[in-house]
Amino acid sequence: MKIIIADDHPIVLAGVRDVIADEAGLDIIGQALSPTALVEMMQALSPDLVICDYNMPGNGPLGDGIKLISYLRRHFPSCKVLVLTMISTPSMVAAMYRAGANGVVRKSGDLLELRVALSTLQSRRIYRAKQSPEERLQALETMSPAALSPRELEVMRLFINGKSVSQIAKQLNRSSKTVSTQKVNAMRKLGTQSDQDLIALCLESDLFR
């Protein structure tokens, strides 16, 4: 996996380099100190993964973290994006995932989390850090089905009421593939990765009732 790392703090870059140096199958092919330099490097080197700071200085339009994540995922769809950040607010972290981040790692954590995140991405899965009970509660308080499209909301309500994808497709006169895609998109927006997680979330927060 070819990796570009981007951060305006040399100490952070050094720490990330040290972690990757001990991991098999990972190769750093470039380092960037700004969003502009990162994009130019990606165009030239075509990495498999970018590990970038959420907020890097720069006068360009990509200085904002959400805009940068969205831009990278839109223009380099085959490249995974792992975000490093000091932000821990659940709503902000959820926004990073909605923008297209494949993983979010807090800078305040230890290097073990970065290793776990890298291993998860190598397995072609999304990395999500485990939440403490307090963080889980805060996330639930900010969770809302309002982020879903009307069709996604309709699918979720039927699914939570016990209907299968095929049953929902028949009831709504849509193809099973369409319903499945809408269900997956809704789960991503709600920050859940399995049917069990989705059901538990809805029971805890009274969503879709």
Side-chain angles (χ1 to χ4, degrees), residues 53-188:
D53 188 6
Y54 175 76
N55 203 348
M56 290 183 286
N59 297 323
L62 301 179
D64 173 80
I66 296 298
K67 290 181 181 178
L68 176 60
I69 296 168
S70 299
Y71 181 91
L72 296 179
R73 295 298 293 149
R74 189 168 61 252
H75 289 83
F76 307 96
S78 63
C79 181
K80 294 178 172 60
V81 178
L82 179 61
V83 180
L84 301 178
T85 180
M86 291 296 295
I87 297 172
S88 60
T89 307
S91 59
M92 285 299 299
V93 173
M96 296 178 208
Y97 282 108
R98 286 197 297 271
N102 299 97
V104 178
V105 173
R106 296 179 193 173
K107 289 184 176 181
S108 57
D110 56 32
L111 294 180
L112 176 61
E113 183 182 1
L114 180 55
R115 290 192 174 97
V116 172
L118 289 169
S119 177
T120 301
L121 294 184
Q122 281 182 292
S123 301
R124 299 184 179 182
R125 292 179 288 124
I126 299 293
Y127 172 74
R128 294 182 185 275
K130 292 183 179 179
Q131 293 179 316
S132 67
E134 293 78 10
E135 290 170 333
R136 177 67 172 172
L137 177 60
Q138 187 177 357
L140 290 173
E141 289 173 345
T142 60
M143 191 69 69
S144 170
L148 307 184
S149 71
R151 292 196 170 192
E152 291 167 351
L153 188 59
E154 193 174 25
V155 168
M156 284 292 95
R157 289 188 189 281
L158 292 172
F159 177 76
I160 294 304
N161 284 313
K163 293 188 179 296
S164 67
V165 168
S166 59
Q167 290 173 326
I168 296 171
K170 185 176 181 180
Q171 179 172 334
L172 299 179
N173 196 26
R174 301 175 196 166
S175 70
S176 294
K177 182 177 180 181
T178 296
V179 170
S180 179
T181 298
Q182 291 166 341
K183 175 174 171 284
V184 169
N185 288 341
M187 291 174 66
R188 175 178 54 80

